[in-house]
Amino acid sequence: MKTYSLMFAGVGGQGSLLIAELTSLAAVRAGYDTKQTEVHGVSQRGGSVETHVRFGEKIHSPIVTPGEAHAVVGLEKLEALRFAHFVDPQNGTILVNDYELVPASVLNAEALYPHESIAYMKSKGLRVISLPASQTARDLGDARMANVVLLGALSNLLPIERDVWDKTLRLRIPAKYMEGNLQAFEAGAKEMTERMKAEA
Amino acid sequence: MQEFLLGNEAVARGAWEAGVKFVSGYPGTPSTEIIETLARRYPETNPRWTSNEKVAFEEGMGAAIGGLRTLVTMKHVGLNVAADAFMVFPYSGTNGGFVVISADDPGMHSSQNEQDNRYLARVAKVPVLEPSDAQECRDFMMAGLDLSEQFHSPVMLRTTTRLAHHKGLVEVGERKEVPTREFNRDPQRFSVPIYRLLRRPEVEKTLTALAEYAETCPFNRIEAGADHKIGVVTSGISYQYVKEVLPNAGVLRLGMTYPLPANLLRDFCSKYETVYVIEEGEPFIEEFMRAAGIANITGKELFGVIGEYSPARLRKTLGMGNPPAPFTDGIKLIQRPPMFCIGCGHRTVFAALRQLRVTVSGDIGCYTMGALPPYEAEHTTFCMGASIGVAVGLEQAGHENTVAIIGDSTFVHAGIPPLIDAVYNKSRLTLIILDNSATGMTGSQPNPISGKDAMGEETPKLDLEALCRASGVQNVAVVDTWDRKEVVNVIRRAVFFKGPSVVIARGPCQQLPEIKHSHRIPFFIHEDLCTQCDACFKVWCPAITRTENNFPVIAANECTSCTVCAQVCPTDAIKLAEEFA
């Protein structure tokens, strides 16, 4: 059985930890041995946040090795770039939210921000799929659901059935946010299916 | 039944299942979630936050000799604070099972040093268990209590960041109620220091018995491998990396790393040409093996003492390939350091200190970020409570107008004796207490200033002003941290006052649930009134960004209505949206 290694990257407060956890819980529900790791602490305060998820028959290390990730999910362009080297250059996918958050605490950050990161990652021969997840989520009523849009897109790349995802979301997300989040997941999954068709 | 648990949640689950009836600790990454989980899910364990780790340890010691199964939690540097009690407890030994968590932080993800507390355990003569995954976090917690009762010894359960903060599947069971053991007066054991000399041989006897136990301890496990040339001795999370990188090696996994099993190690190593000793942190096992005369080992000279291990690092070290590094050629990978939250009251204080250009000694908390750009307003940070003593010392070295800055929780933890001392020794320092009524950096846990305990119940609130006055400080001022001008004025007056002063800069932590989820009306920047002078950008609020036309704009769903940007706007262009209507 294949081992799946995933890296979730974002800015503290964007909800990358939540979708990493939903992925882990879905993998557990689907019967895989699963491990997840992140570093808590000041990283919650608007800094870079990285979460590793691995699942398969038997998982030892919770840490993903650079160059081996099946997918890198970036909730923000600079953070996707920061962790892009984790992706398996042959068989991996970088899923990135086409969205920029300029670090407010870096002097001259606006001038230094690498706006061209998506083209750059593609120029390295990596499979990069960028989605307007924040815009899609805003259209659905709440920009904060961008994370779940990306999760829906990611679901197309993983061996986990749709009803397992649905059950996992229903158990973990509070009822009052459920309908919107299910729509966000569906929108992401649909968009990803179309992108994959277009690629083929 | 299986649950998907964080290492720390698994420790909490183990404590609950094993019938623990008293838990104390001070928040510290990466240990904090243990007590948080117990408070949320397992109140039968009677969890509490204490003022500092020494208090936590001493309350735990009392509970354990009183007959309860007891857990005490802290991060690695917390054990330094509790060391006084930790070193003496083995002389009396315990009654009810006693486990202390030392959550070490290799890689210093959220700490001021890398400290391998297995050495502290050796100095104290306390046995150490080191789990390797979330399941063992639960299992070893439970076994640690049994071991403690069997040998009447306190036990250290040593976790590390990666163990404490990874999630895995854990087979769990139900709670077992354990009766309280009887406690009787026994001066030889529990009091009168002159009797301690009589207890001294008991400590050695216990240690010898524990060393014998280590030889057959089920947690010290040999896993035969297909490779007959290379063997590996390992412990903790490193075991997982070894299984991944060297799946065919014979492995001796040590789950009990103090005292160590000399015979087991000798026998294992005699079967291989070369044995790698792969342990994150210091060469604790390796030094023991060398002292025991085991020569065919390779350890720290190859694997290194600094930082976290990982499968990638092991592969690279063993010449098994170089994993790719971050992309930096032809692109700027700018950093994204953590920063003060939107609406955080620390912002105005550090802006004022930057402006006043005084010598500032900092302390441990979110406010260590005051040393970083854009504020660059702190000169030193060492350890809990050190800001005050360091300021007094700097003053003696000729730095007039020294300012010490400390959070409310850190002040209660270790700031009170140095404040008393500063007054006693006639310092004229200024102490700023950032009172946000929470232990902010670890996730806004309550403390004696919050008026709430770990269970969220009401409790008397410590009166900071009265405490500072009682210490002999005449000049005590309180300021609202969202009042930018007043913050500058109050700090300036305190700095130039000819005697010790305390400024209590008060404003709630923005991560407190009742604050985070309160209803705020966002501020709005009116483009017709805005002259693009950029004054509002200079309050460095992450909620303020630019439009395509270069106007500042406030993210409505992030604004905490702190008003600080409105206070600096020279054209009154920033108001509540409704005020423009």
Side-chain angles (χ1 to χ4, degrees):
Chain A
M1 190 194 287
K2 183 175 167 168
T3 291
Y4 285 80
S5 294
L6 307 168
M7 174 66 94
F8 296 83
V11 178
Q14 278 196 304
S16 60
L17 186 53
L18 175 67
I19 57 167
E21 193 187 335
L22 287 165
T23 305
S24 294
L25 291 173
V28 167
R29 182 173 286 272
Y32 294 101
D33 187 25
T34 307
K35 282 185 180 170
Q36 174 185 332
T37 183
E38 66 273 339
V39 174
H40 301 221
V42 281
S43 55
Q44 305 166 30
R45 313 278 184 262
S48 300
V49 177
E50 55 169 295
T51 309
H52 306 229
V53 172
R54 303 187 72 217
F55 64 89
E57 191 177 353
K58 172 72 190 163
I59 301 299
H60 288 290
S61 167
I63 300 180
V64 175
T65 294
E68 292 185 358
H70 191 67
V72 170
V73 181
L75 268 71
E76 196 274 348
K77 280 163 60 180
L78 170 59
E79 297 314 313
L81 173 67
R82 196 183 310 285
F83 296 100
H85 63 293
F86 274 84
V87 82
D88 173 347
Q90 269 76 50
N91 307 304
T93 305
I94 296 172
L95 265 179
V96 53
N97 182 13
D98 191 357
Y99 178 69
E100 296 182 354
L101 272 171
V102 178
S105 58
V106 177
L107 295 171
N108 304 319
E110 280 166 87
L112 297 168
Y113 188 95
H115 300 286
E116 71 284 18
S117 60
I118 289 174
Y120 175 88
M121 292 187 289
K122 284 182 179 165
S123 78
K124 294 288 171 186
L126 304 174
R127 183 192 190 206
V128 182
I129 296 182
S130 79
L131 299 171
S134 289
Q135 188 57 49
T136 306
R138 196 173 299 121
D139 294 345
L140 288 169
D142 191 342
R144 286 176 298 180
M145 300 188 304
N147 59 346
V148 178
V149 173
L150 283 173
L151 182 67
L154 173 68
S155 73
N156 285 25
L157 301 174
L158 302 181
I160 297 172
E161 299 297 325
R162 181 56 184 270
D163 70 305
V164 173
W165 287 107
D166 280 354
K167 278 184 192 142
T168 306
L169 262 67
R170 283 180 195 284
L171 272 177
R172 180 63 180 73
I173 291 176
K176 64 174 172 175
Y177 301 117
M178 182 57 64
E179 207 40 54
N181 275 292
L182 288 175
Q183 283 173 13
F185 187 94
E186 175 62 32
K190 206 173 141 205
E191 176 76 18
M192 187 69 182
T193 308
E194 279 164 25
R195 295 296 180 91
M196 288 164 79
K197 257 188 219 157
E199 268 185 347
Chain B
M1 191 180 63
Q2 278 191 326
E3 288 198 36
F4 189 62
L5 298 178
L6 201 61
N8 280 340
E9 292 171 332
V11 169
R13 178 73 191 202
W16 177 76
E17 285 184 40
V20 163
K21 280 192 187 140
F22 183 85
V23 185
S24 51
Y26 183 81
T29 311
S31 71
T32 311
E33 296 82 2
I34 300 171
I35 287 185
E36 286 189 315
T37 304
L38 291 167
R40 196 172 61 244
R41 288 188 63 180
Y42 310 114
E44 306 90 312
T45 57
N46 187 17
R48 61 180 57 196
W49 294 123
T50 56
S51 305
N52 66 35
E53 293 87 355
K54 183 172 189 288
V55 175
F57 198 100
E58 288 159 353
E59 290 186 5
M61 215 157 46
I65 64 167
L68 300 180
R69 285 199 146 191
T70 298
L71 169 63
V72 177
T73 77
M74 56 197 64
K75 69 181 294 174
H76 62 311
V77 287
L79 194 61
N80 302 342
V81 177
D84 213 0
F86 181 60
M87 296 295 160
V88 75
F89 195 17
Y91 278 63
S92 73
T94 190
N95 185 22
F98 179 99
V99 170
V100 57
I101 302 287
S102 170
D104 294 7
D105 190 13
M108 294 187 277
H109 291 283
S110 192
S111 305
Q112 62 267 41
N113 72 352
E114 275 194 326
Q115 170 184 317
D116 189 332
N117 274 358
R118 296 178 298 182
Y119 285 104
L120 273 193
R122 193 168 77 191
V123 175
K125 298 177 184 275
V126 166
V128 178
L129 298 180
E130 278 191 75
S132 294
D133 62 13
Q135 179 71 58
E136 288 184 348
C137 284
R138 169 202 172 263
D139 298 349
F140 285 22
M141 175 66 227
M142 300 174 75
L145 290 163
D146 292 338
L147 192 70
S148 172
E149 285 170 3
Q150 188 185 338
F151 292 90
H152 306 288
S153 171
V155 168
M156 178 197 283
L157 184 64
R158 178 191 185 242
T159 66
T160 54
T161 301
R162 205 49 78 176
L163 267 172
H165 285 169
H166 92 287
K167 286 186 171 185
L169 286 165
V170 179
E171 189 70 40
V172 297
E174 285 311 308
R175 179 168 166 92
K176 181 184 75 174
E177 290 301 337
V178 179
T180 302
R181 294 176 169 223
E182 206 178 325
F183 170 60
N184 294 312
R185 190 180 125 83
D186 182 352
Q188 283 210 8
R189 218 179 135 191
F190 295 117
S191 54
V192 198
I194 59 168
Y195 286 142
R196 286 285 146 77
L197 203 55
L198 302 176
R199 294 291 304 173
R200 184 71 185 83
E202 294 300 315
V203 179
E204 294 307 312
K205 264 189 222 161
T206 303
L207 207 56
T208 305
L210 280 161
E212 273 166 32
Y213 170 78
E215 298 285 354
T216 55
C217 168
F219 303 144
N220 294 336
R221 182 176 72 216
I222 290 175
E223 295 173 9
D227 187 334
H228 296 291
K229 280 190 181 160
I230 290 179
V232 178
V233 172
T234 185
S235 72
I237 191 75
S238 305
Y239 164 77
Q240 306 294 348
Y241 307 153
V242 168
K243 293 301 278 185
E244 187 144 327
V245 174
L246 300 167
N248 296 323
V251 174
L252 170 52
R253 200 295 304 269
L254 295 168
M256 181 171 174
T257 46
Y258 188 74
L260 282 158
N263 294 331
L264 184 64
L265 283 161
R266 264 192 217 103
D267 286 353
F268 177 78
C269 293
S270 69
K271 296 187 175 73
Y272 298 93
E273 275 175 32
T274 300
V275 173
Y276 292 132
V277 184
I278 302 179
E279 53 180 329
E280 210 173 54
E282 299 293 328
F284 185 81
I285 300 170
E286 181 185 341
E287 284 172 351
F288 175 85
M289 292 170 75
R290 292 198 191 280
I294 304 169
N296 59 333
I297 57 176
T298 302
K300 290 297 172 186
E301 75 271 31
L302 185 62
F303 299 103
V305 291
I306 301 171
E308 270 197 298
Y309 284 6
S310 66
R313 178 168 164 173
L314 290 192
R315 271 192 203 118
K316 197 173 165 184
T317 306
L318 293 166
M320 297 165 69
N322 254 345
F327 292 108
T328 50
D329 58 311
I331 197 152
K332 295 182 201 90
L333 191 55
I334 55 173
Q335 292 303 305
R336 191 186 299 275
M339 58 187 154
F340 295 123
C341 299
I342 296 165
C344 175
H346 300 354
R347 290 172 176 277
T348 53
V349 176
F350 282 105
L353 289 172
R354 182 188 162 93
Q355 195 181 327
L356 288 169
R357 301 192 176 279
V358 282
T359 306
V360 178
S361 56
D363 225 297
I364 303 291
C366 293
Y367 44 94
T368 56
M369 289 188 278
L372 303 173
Y375 299 101
E376 298 173 304
E378 263 188 14
H379 294 69
T380 69
T381 310
F382 292 99
C383 53
M384 295 290 282
S387 59
I388 303 169
V390 168
V392 169
L394 283 168
E395 191 183 13
Q396 292 301 310
H399 292 263
E400 287 179 26
N401 304 332
T402 57
V403 174
I405 188 160
I406 192 168
D408 54 328
S409 187
T410 307
F411 178 69
V412 172
H413 177 288
I416 298 169
L419 176 63
I420 292 170
D421 182 82
V423 176
Y424 173 61
N425 280 310
K426 302 185 183 115
S427 164
R428 45 160 295 195
L429 98 159
T430 298
L431 171 63
I432 301 174
I433 303 176
L434 295 162
D435 176 11
N436 61 7
S437 292
T439 307
M441 186 148 120
T442 46
S444 306
Q445 289 76 23
N447 66 46
I449 289 171
S450 336
K452 283 206 179 102
D453 66 14
M455 301 304 295
E457 286 169 15
E458 298 283 321
T459 187
K461 228 173 140 123
L462 175 67
D463 184 339
L464 267 185
E465 292 93 310
L467 184 118
C468 294
R469 288 205 181 91
S471 306
V473 182
Q474 311 275 316
N475 187 30
V476 178
V478 180
V479 63
D480 172 356
T481 51
W482 281 358
D483 188 340
R484 193 187 131 265
K485 265 193 190 148
E486 198 53 22
V487 166
V488 178
N489 291 338
V490 167
I491 295 176
R492 181 181 283 130
R493 277 202 296 274
V495 165
F496 294 112
F497 182 76
K498 300 283 178 213
S501 327
V502 170
V503 173
I504 299 169
R506 190 164 280 155
C509 176
Q510 296 300 307
Q511 295 296 327
L512 282 167
E514 65 269 28
I515 301 294
K516 206 173 175 176
H517 301 123
S518 62
H519 180 63
R520 330 277 190 98
I521 306 165
F523 275 64
F524 175 81
I525 300 175
H526 206 300
E527 289 192 8
D528 291 348
L529 298 171
C530 174
T531 59
Q532 299 191 347
C533 74
D534 277 5
C536 55
F537 280 109
K538 291 178 187 139
V539 304
W540 298 300
C541 174
I544 303 177
T545 52
R546 280 183 210 277
T547 65
E548 279 168 12
N549 302 325
N550 227 23
F551 279 102
V553 59
I554 298 174
N557 59 352
E558 293 182 41
C559 177
T560 59
S561 34
C562 79
T563 75
V564 175
C565 60
Q567 292 171 38
V568 301
C569 180
T571 58
D572 264 348
I574 309 179
K575 290 182 184 173
L576 292 174
E578 63 199 35
E579 291 181 276
F580 291 109

